[in-house]
Amino acid sequence: MSLKQILQNIVENVNGGIGAVVMGYDGIPIDEYVCEIASFDVQLLAVEYSAVLKEIKRTVEVLKIGDMEEISINTDKLRVIVRTMDEELFVVLAVNSDGNYGKGRYLLKLNAPALRECLV
Amino acid sequence: MSLKQILQNIVENVNGGIGAVVMGYDGIPIDEYVCEIASFDVQLLAVEYSAVLKEIKRTVEVLKIGDMEEISINTDKLRVIVRTMDEELFVVLAVNSDGNYGKGRYLLKLNAPALRECLV
């Protein structure tokens, strides 16, 4: 399966799934899948979050509390789950606030190895 | 119940709970409860995270994706759940990576109104 197909599978199998992007910490997207009725600009969101993620990564390293695995940023409208893929890349999944957040987390974790494999 | 008692209840009712702190975005703690065998400095962690949270709050406002409710930052050693209480305060709960993350999220959400009531 291609990177885009895996992202599409994740988004379409999570209730309320809006879109998913694989991106570098430098804010440059590798690939994405966004559902047609997306109410948010998922790529813009991922770009804005990449700066925040770099800051979180730095803080986690300073505190020596292990390797960063997953970040969630939830508002009353949107749940954003970020899973690190390696030192350079992460995958972002955006889900409506009434969507299935738990399944989103589960599918990102489950598919992270397959996403990595697409990139080697 | 006092602020500290509510924090203690949360920490002691979550498997793997390490500590909880109520803190301002300026990094100044209001109150905390840390279990005796804590393997991390929970207050230092909350102070370091307050700068990151301010940055996330700003990003969420720029993107206009609703009001910030909850952030999770998970590493292979530690899960940190942050719930906003109001414009100025948030509560942080640190849980071991093999602890009950879901119950931690649930108890923070459940107790957020009681924590706010202690402060008015």
Side-chain angles (χ1 to χ4, degrees), chain A residues 28-111:
Chain A
I28 296 175
I30 309 291
D31 212 340
E32 62 165 349
Y33 173 80
V34 178
C35 78
E36 282 170 24
I37 50 156
S39 44
F40 296 95
D41 183 338
V42 179
Q43 201 178 101
L44 173 68
L45 187 139
V47 170
E48 287 288 340
Y49 277 15
S50 65
V52 171
L53 288 172
K54 260 204 292 204
E55 188 62 21
I56 295 175
K57 201 165 181 276
R58 197 197 56 77
T59 304
V60 164
E61 283 162 10
V62 166
L63 290 167
K64 296 190 177 70
I65 50 171
D67 295 324
M68 202 163 86
E69 286 187 343
E70 187 198 77
I71 318 283
S72 301
I73 300 177
N74 299 337
T75 73
D76 58 339
K77 290 185 190 162
L78 191 67
R79 290 153 192 259
V80 179
I81 310 157
V82 181
R83 180 158 274 272
T84 55
M85 287 169 57
D86 57 27
E87 277 301 298
E88 285 173 24
L89 298 173
F90 58 87
V91 52
V92 176
L93 172 66
V95 180
N96 280 323
S97 60
D98 57 354
N100 195 335
Y101 168 73
K103 194 167 179 194
R105 283 185 71 217
Y106 172 72
L107 287 184
L108 272 198
K109 186 175 177 180
L110 189 73
N111 285 286

